[in-house]
Amino acid sequence: MTTEKSSVITRRTLLRSFAAASLSAAPVYANAAGFLRGSGDIRRLRMYSGRTGESIDTIYWVEGEYIKDALKEVTYFMRDWRNSKMKSIDARTVDIMAAAHGLMDVNEPYMLLSGYRSPETNNLLRSRSRGVAKNSLHMKGEAADLRLKSRSVGQMAAAAQNCSAGGVGSYRGANFVHMDCGPVRTWKG
């Protein structure tokens, strides 16, 4: 059976185009996940907070599945420490953090400086520093500011950039690296 091609854009054609665009963007996040493969396909995140005195050491992914309770634990840990407000932390950010940590081959947990930021906290920080974005990905639960004693800012940033999966900001003066699951980009602060 043959059909005549039409130049009219159908809903089905439009949906296929959107699906194709989504699939072409998928490898970006697959890169971060690819660094985590092996060792029985288990993903682990270890951090501590100097602000709250809390620590987290959790396996949040096993054999292709996120563990919802572990991600809830990450969300609680990465809450806004100034007012205890929370927003779900995007699993893509957790993957990037874990992948970068794995690439650095360290046993030391990350020190979390900033995870989720409420709008109030973000506005407070913006009033003190011009380096804080008005629409920061921290307010969406898609970013983290991290430090390691055993690795330099340059080493941490290089590991995160090798994931090719989000934004990486290097803040040498303040000794931390920003990692997020937004568009792939780098900057120095």
Side-chain angles (χ1 to χ4, degrees):
M1 179 169 115
T2 56
T3 59
E4 200 172 336
K5 289 188 177 181
S6 170
S7 63
V8 177
I9 296 177
T10 65
R11 181 173 181 225
R12 180 173 286 169
T13 302
L14 188 60
L15 288 173
R16 283 184 186 148
S17 297
F18 283 129
S22 296
L23 287 175
S24 67
V28 170
Y29 294 106
N31 287 342
F35 285 110
L36 294 165
R37 290 198 181 91
S39 303
D41 202 17
I42 293 173
R43 298 179 191 171
R44 177 182 182 190
L45 184 66
R46 297 184 325 140
M47 292 187 288
Y48 72 95
S49 170
R51 308 278 191 192
T52 65
E54 298 169 342
S55 296
I56 186 171
D57 183 349
T58 188
I59 293 172
Y60 68 92
W61 166 283
V62 176
E63 299 296 334
E65 298 288 328
Y66 287 105
I67 301 169
K68 290 180 184 178
D69 287 342
L71 290 176
K72 286 180 185 176
E73 188 179 347
V74 171
T75 290
Y76 177 77
F77 179 83
M78 292 181 68
R79 72 193 178 279
D80 185 331
W81 62 270
R82 288 174 176 85
N83 57 23
S84 293
K85 291 185 178 179
M86 291 185 288
K87 183 164 190 79
S88 291
I89 301 301
D90 194 307
R92 297 172 300 171
T93 298
V94 178
D95 283 340
I96 293 164
M97 293 163 46
H101 197 267
L103 287 172
M104 289 182 281
D105 193 30
V106 294
N107 291 321
E108 173 190 357
Y110 282 123
M111 173 192 267
L112 176 70
L113 302 175
S114 184
Y116 169 68
R117 281 189 210 144
S118 66
E120 300 84 12
T121 292
N122 203 68
N123 288 338
L124 171 71
L125 296 175
R126 274 181 55 76
S127 72
R128 296 179 180 170
S129 170
R130 51 192 168 100
V132 177
K134 183 177 183 179
N135 295 312
S136 171
L137 292 178
H138 285 278
M139 294 190 304
K140 296 179 180 182
E142 296 178 355
D145 295 339
L146 306 163
R147 177 182 295 156
L148 286 171
K149 290 179 186 175
S150 64
R151 296 293 184 264
S152 70
V153 167
Q155 290 169 318
M156 287 180 64
Q161 289 170 16
N162 280 329
C163 295
S164 300
V168 180
S170 301
Y171 294 85
R172 291 186 196 283
N175 190 26
F176 74 88
V177 172
H178 168 99
M179 297 179 197
D180 68 51
C181 65
V184 176
R185 68 217 185 282
T186 61
W187 67 94
K188 295 182 189 299

